[in-house]
Structures are given as structure tokens and as C-alpha cells.
Amino acid sequence: KWGMTLQQLNDFIQICKASPLWQICKWTLGPHKKTPYVSGYDLNEHFVKPYTAGVGSSVSLRMNPTEALTAQIMVSHAWEEDIEEFSRAINDKIEDKSTVIWFCIFANYQPEDGFGPSLTEQLCMDPFRKVISIPSLQGMVVVHTTKAELYERKWCVHEIDEALDRGLNIIVAVSFEYVEALLL
């Protein structure tokens, strides 16, 4: 019950993009980031953690404070991805923006500040397996972008393997940039 609608994900990302901090994050390069973009790590560190720090609730729960939403779709993605590219890919694949998704960056409480469960405590609750086990879950969207290879992230491979073992529908979402790179 840590879901949020795709529209809520879009709204949160749009609010982040409107902040001057977005451009700073985008243009701050490093050993793993050679071109300008905002990664899932950047989104988490500079936007998710400050938004949720001290309240003990994830982005998903803060956006749905009176009724936690049950996921219809689980999202598997690489945190090193370009969030704007990720957003375009998932929005191209899921037409109904009221679809409830489980997106780990927004579903888990990230700050590690003692106000909510630690990441270790959350992992012990096995949220990934619980989401994949939801009887009404329609499937898993696997998002491919150009900045990170999804299959190099062992956790993504594990998620997909678990989903396949449960007979879930695997839905591939790719960005235009990803397809273009494949064709070159």
C-alpha cells in the first residue's frame, strides 16, 4: 500500500524540475555521470529526502495521507537513469495517468533519520515481494533508458525474475532516446 498514481509521480517531478536545484543537479557531473541529467540518485538525495525528512512517510504516503494506494503496476528501473527520460518512457507506456504504480524511490522512506523505518527495516518487510504478490497487480513495467543499463542492476534482475516466477505480465517501456541509440 505504498502506491501513487502516475499523475502524482508526474506532478512531483514537475515540482522538482521547477526548482533551481534541478538545474544544479543536472549540470553537476561526476565519476558516474559524464553528461548533464538528473538521475534517480539525484532525485532521491536532493528532492525526496528533504521532502520526507522528519515526517516518517514516503513521498507516496505523503501524497495520499488519508488512504494508502495499492499498486496496480510495479516499476523496475535503474537509479542511475535520467529521470526525465524515465518519465517520458513510462508515460508513453501507461496511458491512464490514474494508474497506481509502485516506484521504489517514492514508495520507501528514504531519509534514514529515525523518524520512519530505516531502509534495512523496510527491506526486512520485503516490500518488493509483497507488491509482486498483490493479487490484482496487472504487471511490472521495466523501464529502459540510455543512461543506465537496467540489467546491470542486480536488484532489477531479481525483481524481474520474481515477477516471471509469479507469472506477471512484464511490460517494457523504452525511451525514444533508448530506441534511437539501439538503431545507431
Side-chain angles (χ1 to χ4, degrees):
K1 290 210 173 215
W2 299 315
M4 66 191 310
T5 67
L6 180 55
Q7 186 60 56
Q8 288 174 317
L9 177 136
N10 292 337
D11 292 345
F12 190 87
I13 291 173
Q14 283 306 118
I15 290 167
C16 296
K17 287 173 66 173
S19 165
L21 184 56
W22 186 271
Q23 289 301 316
I24 293 168
C25 290
K26 185 173 187 168
W27 290 94
T28 301
L29 307 181
H32 300 290
K33 199 168 120 180
K34 306 292 185 202
T35 59
Y37 68 97
V38 175
S39 71
Y41 293 112
D42 295 329
L43 180 68
N44 183 49
E45 192 63 35
H46 300 288
F47 298 97
V48 171
K49 287 182 178 181
Y51 177 69
T52 58
V55 296
S57 293
S58 67
V59 171
S60 296
L61 291 176
R62 287 206 64 197
M63 294 185 96
N64 299 287
T66 58
E67 183 182 353
L69 303 180
T70 300
Q72 297 169 295
I73 297 286
M74 180 176 173
V75 179
S76 186
H77 66 104
W79 280 50
E80 191 62 37
E81 73 214 342
D82 177 334
I83 288 297
E84 292 178 88
E85 194 178 333
F86 159 85
S87 179
R88 288 189 298 275
I90 196 166
N91 277 282
D92 286 348
K93 187 51 72 174
I94 301 174
E95 291 181 22
D96 183 356
K97 305 313 175 208
S98 68
T99 300
V100 179
I101 62 170
W102 192 89
F103 178 63
C104 62
I105 295 174
F106 291 169
N108 293 318
Y109 185 64
Q110 303 289 346
E112 295 278 8
D113 60 3
F115 285 92
S118 69
L119 291 174
T120 300
E121 290 168 334
Q122 291 174 85
L123 287 175
C124 287
M125 292 182 223
D126 207 2
F128 306 103
R129 191 176 312 264
K130 286 180 181 172
V131 172
I132 290 172
S133 299
I134 295 170
S136 59
L137 193 71
Q138 297 169 12
M140 175 186 287
V141 172
V142 178
V143 183
H144 294 272
T145 65
T146 58
K147 301 295 190 254
E149 174 50 58
L150 179 86
Y151 299 121
E152 289 177 2
R153 188 166 180 248
K154 291 177 186 172
W155 192 258
C156 292
V157 174
H158 170 70
E159 289 172 343
I160 295 165
D161 183 55
E162 287 288 324
L164 289 170
D165 282 350
R166 295 186 188 289
L168 285 178
N169 186 25
I170 304 295
I171 304 154
V172 178
V174 296
S175 66
F176 172 79
E177 296 89 342
Y178 184 83
V179 172
E180 190 175 58
L182 282 177
L183 297 176
L184 294 178

